[in-house]
Amino acid sequence: RIATDGTATFSGNVATTGTGTITSVSSLTAGGTLYVDENIRHTDDTNNYINFTTDTQRYYTDNTLALTLNSSQNATFAGDINLAKTVGLANRTAKLYIDVDTHSSSAEYTTLEAGGDRGIDIRSQSVIRHYVDNANRLALTLDASANATFAGKA
């Protein structure tokens, strides 16, 4: 039905053939689920979009993949992750892994760096252990009484 003001009201499904555009001068509201085959793109900047494939969403900015979310609930970021606040790990078995970063042509290592005049706190209710190499060789243990045990020469 088309009203005298030009508003069209449909009941049931509306199908189009070929390519077409649905235009709204303000918001477009879906009263239920909105289905898309593949992409949601920004109107004035079409190289920013969300891509949907089976159980995976990919977020693109400037036509460059920025973030991937997969069916295992893994998030893969293409660039740096900058945290402005404290990051909490939700359960007692959670682990934070910091991947290596190449800082020179001959060395790969992980850096924990404090900004400005701040220190780095490593806290534990019981024991802190420092391991070296891929064999998980224990190098240093600090117990709750602040006693240090070195595995090698101190």
Side-chain angles (χ1 to χ4, degrees):
R1 179 181 75 145
I2 299 178
T4 56
D5 66 357
T7 303
T9 303
F10 302 93
S11 64
N13 296 329
V14 176
T16 62
T17 58
T19 59
T21 302
I22 299 174
T23 303
S24 173
V25 294
S26 61
S27 298
L28 179 63
T29 303
T33 303
L34 174 65
Y35 291 92
V36 298
D37 282 342
E38 188 174 2
N39 296 317
I40 298 175
R41 291 186 183 265
H42 185 271
T43 300
D44 295 325
D45 192 6
T46 59
N47 61 3
N48 288 326
Y49 59 98
I50 303 170
N51 169 259
F52 298 91
T53 57
T54 303
D55 298 327
T56 301
Q57 290 96 51
R58 292 178 181 88
Y59 295 78
Y60 289 82
T61 58
D62 197 21
N63 274 338
T64 302
L65 180 62
L67 169 65
T68 301
L69 302 173
N70 69 19
S71 61
S72 298
Q73 309 311 309
N74 293 322
T76 303
F77 295 86
D80 294 339
I81 301 172
N82 297 306
L83 305 173
K85 302 276 182 180
T86 300
V87 175
L89 301 176
N91 62 52
R92 294 185 183 270
T93 60
K95 296 179 181 177
L96 174 64
Y97 291 98
I98 302 172
D99 258 336
V100 296
D101 190 12
T102 303
H103 293 276
S104 73
S105 60
S106 62
E108 289 185 343
Y109 55 89
T110 299
T111 302
L112 296 176
E113 183 177 321
D117 61 352
R118 303 207 180 261
I120 296 174
D121 294 335
I122 300 173
R123 299 174 188 227
S124 173
Q125 296 287 330
S126 58
V127 176
I128 297 173
R129 296 177 188 88
H130 176 76
Y131 292 88
V132 295
D133 68 38
N134 288 336
N136 289 323
R137 202 163 27 113
L138 183 61
L140 169 65
T141 302
L142 300 171
D143 67 21
S145 299
N147 295 316
T149 304
F150 293 89
K153 295 179 184 177

